[in-house]
Amino acid sequence: MLIIGPPGSGKGTQAERISERLGVVAISTGDIFRANVKGETPLGLEAKKYIDNGDFVPDSVTNKMVRDRLREADVEHGFLLDGYPRTTAQVDELDDILAEADAKLDVVVQLTADDEELVARLLGRALETGRSDDNEGVIRHRLDLYHEQTEAVVARYAERGILSRVDGIGGIDEVTERVMGAIKEAQGA
Ligand code: ADP
């Protein structure tokens, strides 16, 4: 499955909780990039400038990273991708990867929240975690990219009839229950 949402929607938090409940591995492209930046790997050095500016890492780089990650053995029983795909070119790539593996997506969950709530949450998080991309200018740019590019991704999955929209405003447990409910509903449908 996929979890898609704007920056600050809590998708990373929910992805971890949901993956535990479902017993599948959670794969966050943002976390993989940050680990590479921290480890100063060639991928991290390449990605850092984009991340710090709130830009997307180029599709060619991101697609290759995801393709490699999805070859690992732990995805065999399913996976939850958090933060990918974010562009329609990434949707095409994921379609290819899944077709080659004879696999298909069960459900795509979109977490929703309005922009002002998201900015407030991210500015709050900036005080706690000091993520290099959590300052107001960069936050607004990440939100703009979400609207410009990732909403088209969401629309693609809506057309395919596998999208579930979940309200991301509320307590962490409450939102987890909503996501679990959406997954169960999608599986029953
Ligand atoms: P957020 O959703 O708050 O922006 P993430 O941790 O998901 O946080 O992503 C952080 C950054 O990592 C993004 O701003 C972008 O630079 C990079 N990134 C993550 N996933 C992708 C992706 N699928 N395509 C391109 N860049 C990505």
Side-chain angles (χ1 to χ4, degrees), residues 7 11 29-30 34 51 55 57 62 83-84 86 90 131 142:
K11 66 185 170 354
T29 45
R34 278 185 292 276
I51 295 172
D55 287 321
V57 177
T62 308
Y84 183 94
R86 270 179 221 230
Q90 293 180 8
R131 238 175 76 166
R142 281 154 57 211

Side-chain angles (χ1 to χ4, degrees), residues 80-117:
L80 193 175
L81 268 176
D82 154 18
Y84 183 94
R86 270 179 221 230
T87 65
T88 54
Q90 293 180 8
V91 174
D92 293 339
E93 179 78 4
L94 182 61
D95 284 344
D96 283 349
I97 296 171
L98 292 174
E100 284 165 27
D102 211 9
K104 70 166 191 47
L105 289 174
D106 291 322
V107 58
V108 177
V109 170
Q110 180 193 24
L111 279 183
T112 61
D114 73 63
D115 281 9
E116 291 318 308
E117 165 80 17

Side-chain angles (χ1 to χ4, degrees), residues 30-115:
D31 283 351
I32 300 176
F33 282 132
R34 278 185 292 276
N36 278 277
V37 170
K38 201 163 167 227
E40 298 182 347
T41 68
L43 174 65
L45 295 174
E46 163 85 19
K48 183 172 168 36
K49 53 183 184 283
Y50 298 103
I51 295 172
D52 286 350
N53 291 329
D55 287 321
F56 290 160
V57 177
D59 285 335
S60 56
V61 175
T62 308
N63 284 341
K64 181 179 183 310
M65 179 179 91
V66 171
R67 188 175 270 280
D68 290 346
R69 180 64 186 82
L70 292 180
R71 277 201 190 104
E72 287 176 34
D74 61 351
V75 304
E76 199 184 336
H77 302 294
F79 57 83
L80 193 175
L81 268 176
D82 154 18
Y84 183 94
R86 270 179 221 230
T87 65
T88 54
Q90 293 180 8
V91 174
D92 293 339
E93 179 78 4
L94 182 61
D95 284 344
D96 283 349
I97 296 171
L98 292 174
E100 284 165 27
D102 211 9
K104 70 166 191 47
L105 289 174
D106 291 322
V107 58
V108 177
V109 170
Q110 180 193 24
L111 279 183
T112 61
D114 73 63
D115 281 9

